[in-house]
Amino acid sequence: YEITEREDELVISTAELHLRIWKRPLRFDFFDRGANLLSRDHKAVGARANADGFEHVLLSRRVDPDESLYGLGERVSTQLRLNGMSIDNWNRDSYNSEQGMRYKSHSLYYSTRGYGVFVDNPSRMTFEVYNAAFPDLVEADGHAGEMDYYFLYGPEFRKILSRYTELTGGAYLPPKWALGYQQCRWAYETQARVEEIAAEFRRRDIPCDVIWLDGPVRGWWRDGVNFEPAFDARYPDPRGMIDAIGTAGFKLALLVNQTMDVAASSYAEGLDRGYYVRNDDGSVFLSIQWNGPCATVDFTHPEAGAWYAGLFDALVDLGVAGWWIDMDDGGLPEGSDGYYDRVFHDGPGRLVHNPQGGLLDARALHELLADFTSQRPFVMVRGGSAGQQRYAWTWSADLRFEGQSYELNIP
Protein backbone atom coordinates (compact mmCIF):
# COMPACT_ATOMS: atom_id res chain seq x y z
CA TYR A 1 0.00 0.00 0.00
CA GLU A 2 0.97 3.62 -0.42
CA ILE A 3 0.39 6.54 1.95
CA THR A 4 0.16 10.15 0.84
CA GLU A 5 -0.17 12.86 3.48
CA ARG A 6 -1.40 16.39 2.93
CA GLU A 7 -2.25 19.18 5.32
CA ASP A 8 -5.90 18.23 5.82
CA GLU A 9 -6.02 14.64 4.63
CA LEU A 10 -4.28 11.28 4.50
CA VAL A 11 -4.72 8.95 1.50
CA ILE A 12 -4.01 5.21 1.71
CA SER A 13 -4.03 3.27 -1.57
CA THR A 14 -4.08 -0.50 -2.07
CA ALA A 15 -4.60 -2.69 -5.12
CA GLU A 16 -8.36 -2.69 -4.51
CA LEU A 17 -9.24 0.44 -2.54
CA HIS A 18 -8.34 4.04 -1.87
CA LEU A 19 -9.08 5.48 1.56
CA ARG A 20 -9.17 9.23 2.14
CA ILE A 21 -8.96 10.19 5.81
CA TRP A 22 -10.06 13.72 6.61
CA LYS A 23 -8.18 14.88 9.70
CA ARG A 24 -10.53 17.48 11.18
CA PRO A 25 -13.20 16.41 11.74
CA LEU A 26 -12.19 12.75 11.43
CA ARG A 27 -14.05 11.18 8.49
CA PHE A 28 -13.36 8.34 6.04
CA ASP A 29 -14.14 8.20 2.31
CA PHE A 30 -13.73 4.89 0.47
CA PHE A 31 -13.12 4.56 -3.28
CA ASP A 32 -12.66 1.52 -5.52
CA ARG A 33 -9.48 1.16 -7.58
CA GLY A 34 -11.16 3.08 -10.40
CA ALA A 35 -11.52 6.06 -8.04
CA ASN A 36 -15.31 5.65 -7.87
CA LEU A 37 -16.75 6.70 -4.53
CA LEU A 38 -18.17 3.70 -2.63
CA SER A 39 -19.03 5.13 0.76
CA ARG A 40 -18.28 8.09 3.02
CA ASP A 41 -18.85 9.34 6.51
CA HIS A 42 -21.30 12.16 7.08
CA LYS A 43 -20.26 13.22 10.59
CA ALA A 44 -17.04 12.83 12.51
CA VAL A 45 -16.43 9.21 13.49
CA GLY A 46 -17.17 8.61 17.15
CA ALA A 47 -19.09 11.83 17.70
CA ARG A 48 -20.77 11.76 21.10
CA ALA A 49 -24.16 12.87 22.29
CA ASN A 50 -26.05 12.73 25.55
CA ALA A 51 -29.39 10.99 25.78
CA ASP A 52 -31.40 9.73 28.75
CA GLY A 53 -28.57 10.73 31.07
CA PHE A 54 -25.99 8.55 29.29
CA GLU A 55 -23.26 9.33 26.79
CA HIS A 56 -23.94 7.82 23.36
CA VAL A 57 -21.48 7.28 20.52
CA LEU A 58 -22.50 7.88 16.90
CA LEU A 59 -21.65 6.72 13.41
CA SER A 60 -23.23 8.60 10.51
CA ARG A 61 -22.60 7.49 6.91
CA ARG A 62 -23.99 8.59 3.55
CA VAL A 63 -26.29 6.32 1.54
CA ASP A 64 -26.93 7.03 -2.16
CA PRO A 65 -30.50 6.96 -3.56
CA ASP A 66 -29.74 3.90 -5.72
CA GLU A 67 -28.10 2.00 -2.82
CA SER A 68 -29.81 -0.77 -0.84
CA LEU A 69 -28.68 -2.07 2.53
CA TYR A 70 -29.22 -5.51 4.10
CA GLY A 71 -28.30 -7.33 7.31
CA LEU A 72 -28.17 -6.17 10.96
CA GLY A 73 -29.15 -9.47 12.55
CA GLU A 74 -32.27 -11.56 12.98
CA ARG A 75 -35.73 -10.07 12.67
CA VAL A 76 -39.09 -10.80 11.12
CA SER A 77 -40.12 -8.19 8.58
CA THR A 78 -42.13 -7.81 5.42
CA GLN A 79 -38.90 -6.80 3.66
CA LEU A 80 -35.24 -7.79 3.69
CA ARG A 81 -34.12 -4.38 2.45
CA LEU A 82 -33.28 -2.10 5.38
CA ASN A 83 -33.88 1.21 3.63
CA GLY A 84 -36.66 3.14 5.35
CA MET A 85 -36.38 1.19 8.60
CA SER A 86 -35.34 1.86 12.19
CA ILE A 87 -33.55 -1.14 13.71
CA ASP A 88 -32.99 -1.53 17.47
CA ASN A 89 -30.13 -4.00 17.93
CA TRP A 90 -30.92 -5.17 21.44
CA ASN A 91 -31.51 -8.84 22.20
CA ARG A 92 -34.95 -9.46 23.62
CA ASP A 93 -37.52 -12.18 24.21
CA SER A 94 -40.04 -11.22 21.53
CA TYR A 95 -41.78 -14.61 21.52
CA ASN A 96 -43.30 -14.78 18.03
CA SER A 97 -43.26 -13.44 14.50
CA GLU A 98 -45.73 -10.64 15.26
CA GLN A 99 -43.25 -9.09 17.71
CA GLY A 100 -40.36 -9.21 15.26
CA MET A 101 -38.32 -11.93 16.99
CA ARG A 102 -35.32 -9.73 17.86
CA TYR A 103 -33.33 -12.43 19.62
CA LYS A 104 -30.00 -11.81 17.88
CA SER A 105 -28.13 -8.56 17.20
CA HIS A 106 -25.38 -8.45 14.59
CA SER A 107 -24.16 -4.97 13.69
CA LEU A 108 -23.08 -5.84 10.15
CA TYR A 109 -24.79 -4.46 7.08
CA TYR A 110 -24.21 -5.06 3.39
CA SER A 111 -24.54 -2.58 0.54
CA THR A 112 -25.43 -3.27 -3.07
CA ARG A 113 -22.45 -1.08 -3.91
CA GLY A 114 -20.21 -3.99 -2.95
CA TYR A 115 -19.12 -3.26 0.62
CA GLY A 116 -20.12 -4.07 4.18
CA VAL A 117 -19.75 -2.22 7.47
CA PHE A 118 -19.24 -4.09 10.74
CA VAL A 119 -19.73 -1.90 13.80
CA ASP A 120 -17.55 -3.46 16.49
CA ASN A 121 -19.52 -2.20 19.46
CA PRO A 122 -21.74 -4.70 21.34
CA SER A 123 -23.90 -2.13 23.11
CA ARG A 124 -27.54 -1.47 22.46
CA MET A 125 -27.45 0.24 19.09
CA THR A 126 -30.17 1.86 17.02
CA PHE A 127 -29.74 2.03 13.25
CA GLU A 128 -31.71 4.62 11.30
CA VAL A 129 -31.51 3.54 7.67
CA TYR A 130 -32.38 6.05 4.94
CA ASN A 131 -35.75 6.78 6.53
CA ALA A 132 -37.85 9.92 6.87
CA ALA A 133 -35.90 11.12 9.92
CA PHE A 134 -32.50 10.39 8.33
CA PRO A 135 -32.76 10.79 4.54
CA ASP A 136 -29.64 9.80 2.58
CA LEU A 137 -28.01 8.38 5.74
CA VAL A 138 -27.47 5.33 7.86
CA GLU A 139 -26.89 6.46 11.43
CA ALA A 140 -25.87 4.15 14.27
CA ASP A 141 -26.47 5.27 17.85
CA GLY A 142 -24.51 3.21 20.37
CA HIS A 143 -25.62 3.49 23.99
CA ALA A 144 -22.13 2.89 25.42
CA GLY A 145 -18.56 2.03 24.47
CA GLU A 146 -16.46 3.25 21.54
CA MET A 147 -17.35 3.60 17.89
CA ASP A 148 -15.04 1.17 16.10
CA TYR A 149 -16.05 0.01 12.65
CA TYR A 150 -14.60 -2.08 9.84
CA PHE A 151 -15.12 -1.37 6.15
CA LEU A 152 -15.33 -4.71 4.33
CA TYR A 153 -14.93 -4.65 0.56
CA GLY A 154 -16.30 -7.41 -1.67
CA PRO A 155 -17.66 -6.54 -4.05
CA GLU A 156 -19.49 -9.90 -3.84
CA PHE A 157 -21.58 -10.47 -0.70
CA ARG A 158 -19.90 -13.83 -0.08
CA LYS A 159 -16.51 -12.11 0.00
CA ILE A 160 -17.80 -9.51 2.44
CA LEU A 161 -19.05 -12.32 4.68
CA SER A 162 -15.71 -14.11 4.38
CA ARG A 163 -13.89 -10.99 5.55
CA TYR A 164 -16.35 -10.60 8.41
CA THR A 165 -15.57 -14.13 9.62
CA GLU A 166 -11.85 -13.39 9.37
CA LEU A 167 -12.53 -10.82 12.09
CA THR A 168 -15.10 -12.62 14.23
CA GLY A 169 -14.35 -16.30 13.52
CA GLY A 170 -15.87 -19.01 11.38
CA ALA A 171 -18.63 -21.44 12.31
CA TYR A 172 -17.37 -24.61 13.94
CA LEU A 173 -18.19 -28.01 12.47
CA PRO A 174 -21.06 -29.61 14.41
CA PRO A 175 -21.22 -33.36 15.12
CA LYS A 176 -22.79 -35.40 12.35
CA TRP A 177 -25.79 -36.38 14.46
CA ALA A 178 -26.77 -32.71 14.82
CA LEU A 179 -27.61 -32.60 11.11
CA GLY A 180 -30.37 -35.20 11.47
CA TYR A 181 -33.97 -34.87 12.61
CA GLN A 182 -34.26 -33.69 16.22
CA GLN A 183 -37.34 -34.33 18.34
CA CYS A 184 -38.52 -31.94 21.05
CA ARG A 185 -41.68 -30.80 22.78
CA TRP A 186 -42.67 -29.02 25.97
CA ALA A 187 -42.19 -31.29 27.86
CA TYR A 188 -41.47 -34.99 28.47
CA GLU A 189 -42.41 -35.28 32.11
CA THR A 190 -40.87 -38.66 32.95
CA GLN A 191 -38.07 -41.00 31.99
CA ALA A 192 -40.64 -43.58 30.97
CA ARG A 193 -42.17 -41.12 28.49
CA VAL A 194 -38.78 -40.41 26.87
CA GLU A 195 -38.10 -44.11 26.48
CA GLU A 196 -41.59 -44.61 25.03
CA ILE A 197 -41.05 -41.84 22.47
CA ALA A 198 -37.72 -43.33 21.40
CA ALA A 199 -39.27 -46.79 21.04
CA GLU A 200 -42.15 -45.44 18.94
CA PHE A 201 -39.81 -43.65 16.55
CA ARG A 202 -37.99 -46.89 15.91
CA ARG A 203 -41.15 -49.02 15.75
CA ARG A 204 -42.59 -46.68 13.11
CA ASP A 205 -39.27 -46.51 11.28
CA ILE A 206 -39.11 -42.70 11.49
CA PRO A 207 -35.54 -41.34 11.20
CA CYS A 208 -34.53 -39.40 14.29
CA ASP A 209 -31.13 -38.73 15.85
CA VAL A 210 -31.76 -36.52 18.89
CA ILE A 211 -34.31 -36.20 21.68
CA TRP A 212 -34.29 -32.85 23.47
CA LEU A 213 -35.62 -32.41 26.99
CA ASP A 214 -37.21 -29.05 27.76
CA GLY A 215 -36.94 -27.68 31.26
CA PRO A 216 -39.39 -25.29 32.93
CA VAL A 217 -42.67 -26.71 34.25
CA ARG A 218 -42.51 -30.53 34.45
CA GLY A 219 -39.30 -30.73 32.47
CA TRP A 220 -36.13 -32.66 33.23
CA TRP A 221 -35.10 -30.78 36.39
CA ARG A 222 -36.93 -30.35 39.69
CA ASP A 223 -40.45 -29.04 39.21
CA GLY A 224 -41.25 -25.60 40.63
CA VAL A 225 -37.67 -24.35 40.07
CA ASN A 226 -36.66 -22.11 37.18
CA PHE A 227 -33.40 -23.95 36.64
CA GLU A 228 -31.28 -26.47 38.47
CA PRO A 229 -28.60 -28.60 36.72
CA ALA A 230 -29.73 -31.99 38.04
CA PHE A 231 -32.34 -34.54 36.93
CA ASP A 232 -35.60 -34.65 38.87
CA ALA A 233 -36.76 -37.82 40.65
CA ARG A 234 -39.14 -38.35 37.73
CA TYR A 235 -35.98 -39.48 35.92
CA PRO A 236 -34.79 -42.13 38.39
CA ASP A 237 -32.05 -43.61 36.20
CA PRO A 238 -30.79 -41.00 33.72
CA ARG A 239 -27.65 -42.96 32.84
CA GLY A 240 -29.72 -46.04 32.10
CA MET A 241 -32.10 -43.96 29.97
CA ILE A 242 -29.27 -42.35 28.01
CA ASP A 243 -27.59 -45.72 27.46
CA ALA A 244 -30.86 -47.34 26.34
CA ILE A 245 -31.85 -44.71 23.81
CA GLY A 246 -28.21 -44.48 22.72
CA THR A 247 -28.29 -48.16 21.82
CA ALA A 248 -31.30 -47.32 19.64
CA GLY A 249 -29.34 -44.57 17.88
CA PHE A 250 -30.47 -41.47 19.79
CA LYS A 251 -28.47 -38.70 21.44
CA LEU A 252 -29.95 -36.92 24.45
CA ALA A 253 -29.74 -33.13 24.68
CA LEU A 254 -30.93 -30.77 27.40
CA LEU A 255 -32.36 -27.27 27.67
CA VAL A 256 -30.54 -25.14 30.25
CA ASN A 257 -30.80 -21.52 31.38
CA GLN A 258 -28.20 -18.89 32.24
CA THR A 259 -30.33 -17.97 35.24
CA MET A 260 -30.13 -19.69 38.63
CA ASP A 261 -33.25 -20.12 40.77
CA VAL A 262 -32.82 -18.85 44.33
CA ALA A 263 -34.16 -22.24 45.46
CA ALA A 264 -31.60 -24.17 43.41
CA SER A 265 -28.86 -26.05 45.23
CA SER A 266 -26.18 -24.13 43.27
CA TYR A 267 -27.53 -20.64 43.96
CA ALA A 268 -25.66 -19.98 47.23
CA GLU A 269 -22.27 -20.89 45.77
CA GLY A 270 -22.66 -18.44 42.88
CA LEU A 271 -23.84 -15.77 45.32
CA ASP A 272 -20.85 -16.23 47.62
CA ARG A 273 -18.45 -15.96 44.68
CA GLY A 274 -20.08 -12.83 43.24
CA TYR A 275 -21.00 -14.44 39.93
CA TYR A 276 -24.44 -12.85 39.45
CA VAL A 277 -25.60 -9.65 37.74
CA ARG A 278 -26.29 -6.92 40.30
CA ASN A 279 -28.29 -3.76 40.88
CA ASP A 280 -26.71 -0.34 41.45
CA ASP A 281 -26.87 -0.82 45.20
CA GLY A 282 -24.86 -4.05 45.04
CA SER A 283 -27.78 -6.41 45.61
CA VAL A 284 -28.36 -9.31 43.23
CA PHE A 285 -30.68 -8.55 40.33
CA LEU A 286 -33.57 -11.02 40.49
CA SER A 287 -35.94 -11.49 37.57
CA ILE A 288 -39.26 -13.29 37.96
CA GLN A 289 -39.46 -16.11 35.46
CA TRP A 290 -41.51 -19.29 35.16
CA ASN A 291 -41.46 -20.37 38.79
CA GLY A 292 -40.28 -17.36 40.78
CA PRO A 293 -37.16 -15.24 41.36
CA CYS A 294 -33.80 -16.17 39.88
CA ALA A 295 -30.37 -14.59 39.43
CA THR A 296 -28.52 -14.23 36.13
CA VAL A 297 -24.98 -15.58 35.83
CA ASP A 298 -22.61 -12.75 34.84
CA PHE A 299 -20.56 -14.26 32.02
CA THR A 300 -18.44 -11.13 31.73
CA HIS A 301 -16.85 -12.15 35.05
CA PRO A 302 -13.60 -13.97 34.14
CA GLU A 303 -14.36 -16.91 36.46
CA ALA A 304 -18.15 -17.20 36.22
CA GLY A 305 -18.27 -19.03 32.89
CA ALA A 306 -16.01 -21.87 34.05
CA TRP A 307 -18.01 -22.15 37.30
CA TYR A 308 -21.31 -22.30 35.41
CA ALA A 309 -20.05 -24.85 32.90
CA GLY A 310 -18.60 -26.94 35.73
CA LEU A 311 -22.13 -27.42 37.09
CA PHE A 312 -22.75 -29.71 34.11
CA ASP A 313 -19.76 -32.01 34.60
CA ALA A 314 -21.89 -34.79 36.08
CA LEU A 315 -24.42 -34.50 33.24
CA VAL A 316 -21.71 -34.72 30.60
CA ASP A 317 -20.36 -37.76 32.40
CA LEU A 318 -23.82 -39.35 32.17
CA GLY A 319 -23.65 -39.02 28.39
CA VAL A 320 -25.66 -35.85 27.66
CA ALA A 321 -24.55 -34.89 24.16
CA GLY A 322 -26.06 -31.47 23.40
CA TRP A 323 -27.00 -28.25 25.14
CA TRP A 324 -29.69 -25.71 24.38
CA ILE A 325 -29.31 -22.40 26.24
CA ASP A 326 -32.72 -20.76 26.49
CA MET A 327 -33.76 -17.33 27.77
CA ASP A 328 -30.27 -15.86 27.26
CA ASP A 329 -31.70 -12.91 25.30
CA GLY A 330 -33.22 -11.51 28.48
CA GLY A 331 -36.11 -13.73 29.45
CA LEU A 332 -39.41 -12.55 30.90
CA PRO A 333 -41.35 -10.64 32.08
CA GLU A 334 -38.98 -7.66 32.39
CA GLY A 335 -37.29 -8.86 29.22
CA SER A 336 -33.98 -7.50 28.09
CA ASP A 337 -34.89 -3.95 29.10
CA GLY A 338 -34.54 -5.10 32.70
CA TYR A 339 -30.79 -5.50 32.10
CA TYR A 340 -30.16 -2.03 30.64
CA ASP A 341 -29.05 -0.39 33.90
CA ARG A 342 -27.82 -3.50 35.70
CA VAL A 343 -24.22 -3.91 36.83
CA PHE A 344 -22.01 -6.53 35.17
CA HIS A 345 -18.36 -7.21 35.90
CA ASP A 346 -17.27 -5.64 32.58
CA GLY A 347 -19.67 -2.69 32.49
CA PRO A 348 -23.30 -1.63 32.44
CA GLY A 349 -25.97 -3.81 30.92
CA ARG A 350 -26.49 -1.43 28.01
CA LEU A 351 -22.91 -2.27 26.94
CA VAL A 352 -22.62 -6.01 27.59
CA HIS A 353 -26.14 -7.49 27.52
CA ASN A 354 -26.00 -8.50 23.84
CA PRO A 355 -22.80 -10.62 24.04
CA GLN A 356 -23.67 -11.86 27.55
CA GLY A 357 -26.34 -14.12 26.09
CA GLY A 358 -25.57 -16.21 23.01
CA LEU A 359 -21.81 -15.57 22.91
CA LEU A 360 -20.18 -15.66 26.36
CA ASP A 361 -22.55 -18.27 27.81
CA ALA A 362 -22.16 -20.42 24.68
CA ARG A 363 -18.37 -20.15 24.89
CA ALA A 364 -18.42 -21.43 28.48
CA LEU A 365 -20.36 -24.58 27.58
CA HIS A 366 -18.53 -25.11 24.29
CA GLU A 367 -15.14 -25.03 25.99
CA LEU A 368 -16.33 -27.40 28.73
CA LEU A 369 -17.44 -29.96 26.16
CA ALA A 370 -14.29 -29.54 24.09
CA ASP A 371 -12.16 -30.23 27.18
CA PHE A 372 -14.34 -33.03 28.54
CA THR A 373 -14.73 -35.20 25.46
CA SER A 374 -13.08 -35.94 22.14
CA GLN A 375 -16.44 -35.48 20.39
CA ARG A 376 -17.30 -32.25 18.62
CA PRO A 377 -19.47 -30.06 20.91
CA PHE A 378 -23.02 -29.10 20.07
CA VAL A 379 -24.42 -25.99 21.74
CA MET A 380 -27.57 -24.20 20.60
CA VAL A 381 -28.61 -20.71 21.76
CA ARG A 382 -31.53 -18.34 21.39
CA GLY A 383 -29.70 -15.02 21.86
CA GLY A 384 -26.70 -13.98 19.84
CA SER A 385 -24.16 -11.37 18.81
CA ALA A 386 -21.01 -11.08 16.70
CA GLY A 387 -18.71 -14.07 17.07
CA GLN A 388 -21.24 -16.56 18.43
CA GLN A 389 -20.71 -18.77 15.37
CA ARG A 390 -17.43 -19.93 16.92
CA TYR A 391 -19.27 -21.62 19.79
CA ALA A 392 -22.94 -22.24 19.03
CA TRP A 393 -25.70 -22.77 16.51
CA THR A 394 -29.04 -21.03 16.78
CA TRP A 395 -32.72 -21.90 16.72
CA SER A 396 -35.75 -19.96 15.58
CA ALA A 397 -37.10 -19.51 19.14
CA ASP A 398 -40.72 -19.73 20.21
CA LEU A 399 -43.33 -19.78 17.48
CA ARG A 400 -47.10 -19.80 17.55
CA PHE A 401 -49.28 -22.31 15.74
CA GLU A 402 -49.87 -19.94 12.84
CA GLY A 403 -49.05 -19.73 9.15
CA GLN A 404 -46.37 -17.05 9.28
CA SER A 405 -44.53 -18.81 12.07
CA TYR A 406 -44.46 -22.07 10.10
CA GLU A 407 -43.21 -20.23 7.02
CA LEU A 408 -40.19 -19.01 8.98
CA ASN A 409 -39.02 -22.62 9.35
CA ILE A 410 -39.37 -23.54 5.68
CA PRO A 411 -36.06 -23.10 3.77
Side-chain angles (χ1 to χ4, degrees):
Y1 59 89
E2 295 181 358
I3 300 178
T4 303
E5 185 168 8
R6 302 184 181 94
E7 181 178 353
D8 58 352
E9 66 179 11
L10 191 69
V11 178
I12 302 175
S13 299
T14 72
E16 292 186 311
L17 291 174
H18 303 286
L19 167 62
R20 175 182 291 147
I21 304 173
W22 298 101
K23 296 180 179 180
R24 284 181 291 273
L26 180 64
R27 289 172 292 123
F28 300 96
D29 297 346
F30 296 89
F31 302 81
D32 65 18
R33 60 186 175 188
N36 300 301
L37 179 64
L38 295 171
S39 180
R40 59 194 172 110
D41 287 321
H42 174 61
K43 296 178 181 177
V45 177
R48 295 184 179 272
N50 291 312
D52 303 323
F54 301 110
E55 187 176 65
H56 290 217
V57 61
L58 305 177
L59 177 66
S60 182
R61 315 204 76 250
R62 286 288 184 183
V63 179
D64 284 349
D66 62 347
E67 187 176 0
S68 295
L69 303 182
Y70 300 88
L72 294 183
E74 178 191 68
R75 68 190 45 80
V76 175
S77 173
T78 56
Q79 64 182 57
L80 290 175
R81 187 170 179 258
L82 299 176
N83 298 49
M85 300 178 70
S86 177
I87 306 297
D88 185 17
N89 263 7
W90 181 246
N91 295 353
R92 65 187 65 203
D93 181 1
S94 46
Y95 180 59
N96 61 66
S97 58
E98 293 177 356
Q99 297 178 15
M101 297 182 68
R102 302 291 181 82
Y103 293 104
K104 304 168 186 70
S105 298
H106 296 271
S107 297
L108 165 70
Y109 66 83
Y110 302 81
S111 166
T112 51
R113 302 198 71 174
Y115 69 88
V117 171
F118 167 48
V119 182
D120 189 14
N121 178 322
S123 74
R124 184 171 190 168
M125 187 166 295
T126 303
F127 288 84
E128 305 290 351
V129 187
Y130 205 103
N131 55 31
F134 295 85
D136 306 322
L137 296 175
V138 54
E139 184 148 309
D141 177 0
H143 290 220
E146 302 295 328
M147 184 52 71
D148 293 331
Y149 79 88
Y150 293 86
F151 185 87
L152 309 174
Y153 184 59
E156 301 86 0
F157 275 18
R158 64 177 178 272
K159 192 170 183 180
I160 298 170
L161 181 58
S162 177
R163 286 180 161 161
Y164 170 73
T165 58
E166 288 177 11
L167 293 170
T168 63
Y172 76 95
L173 186 66
K176 185 177 179 180
W177 55 261
L179 304 179
Y181 175 72
Q182 305 182 30
Q183 173 64 24
C184 179
R185 62 156 294 163
W186 184 18
Y188 298 123
E189 296 189 2
T190 64
Q191 176 178 328
R193 181 59 173 154
V194 174
E195 293 170 339
E196 178 188 9
I197 291 293
E200 281 297 304
F201 266 99
R202 292 299 176 251
R203 186 182 71 81
R204 301 178 188 216
D205 198 27
I206 300 175
C208 182
D209 294 287
V210 189
I211 295 179
W212 288 90
L213 302 187
D214 205 335
V217 188
R218 302 295 289 174
W220 66 271
W221 63 71
R222 180 159 55 105
D223 199 28
V225 176
N226 284 296
F227 176 59
E228 185 173 52
F231 277 99
D232 186 73
R234 291 174 285 108
Y235 292 81
D237 183 15
R239 185 184 296 276
M241 174 185 67
I242 293 170
D243 288 346
I245 68 173
T247 300
F250 292 92
K251 300 291 185 182
L252 186 80
L254 301 178
L255 176 143
V256 299
N257 286 338
Q258 61 160 263
T259 54
M260 191 64 63
D261 196 294
V262 297
S265 58
S266 306
Y267 173 78
E269 181 181 4
L271 180 64
D272 291 342
R273 297 189 180 192
Y275 290 163
Y276 299 135
V277 177
R278 296 187 175 271
N279 299 306
D280 283 336
D281 62 7
S283 62
V284 174
F285 168 59
L286 298 177
S287 61
I288 306 300
Q289 298 193 3
W290 295 104
N291 298 297
C294 55
T296 301
V297 178
D298 179 2
F299 288 94
T300 72
H301 190 293
E303 300 172 0
W307 170 78
Y308 171 82
L311 299 176
F312 304 105
D313 283 352
L315 295 170
V316 176
D317 185 60
L318 287 174
V320 175
W323 306 89
W324 158 24
I325 307 178
D326 196 15
M327 310 287 279
D328 58 353
D329 43 68
L332 54 92
E334 297 96 339
S336 56
D337 289 339
Y339 289 98
Y340 189 87
D341 295 330
R342 306 305 168 185
V343 179
F344 291 73
H345 182 275
D346 281 0
R350 60 186 180 277
L351 175 64
V352 301
H353 163 70
N354 283 340
Q356 150 86 6
L359 173 62
L360 301 182
D361 56 349
R363 182 179 68 182
L365 272 182
H366 182 103
E367 290 177 348
L368 164 74
L369 297 172
D371 290 342
F372 206 98
T373 174
S374 61
Q375 303 298 313
R376 291 195 296 270
F378 186 66
V379 178
M380 187 166 62
V381 292
R382 192 169 79 173
S385 61
Q388 73 173 107
Q389 67 274 8
R390 303 197 303 272
Y391 309 112
W393 297 83
T394 66
W395 62 296
S396 60
D398 298 328
L399 301 173
R400 288 181 174 176
F401 293 104
E402 59 184 12
Q404 185 179 16
S405 291
Y406 286 125
E407 289 175 0
L408 294 174
N409 285 278
I410 299 175

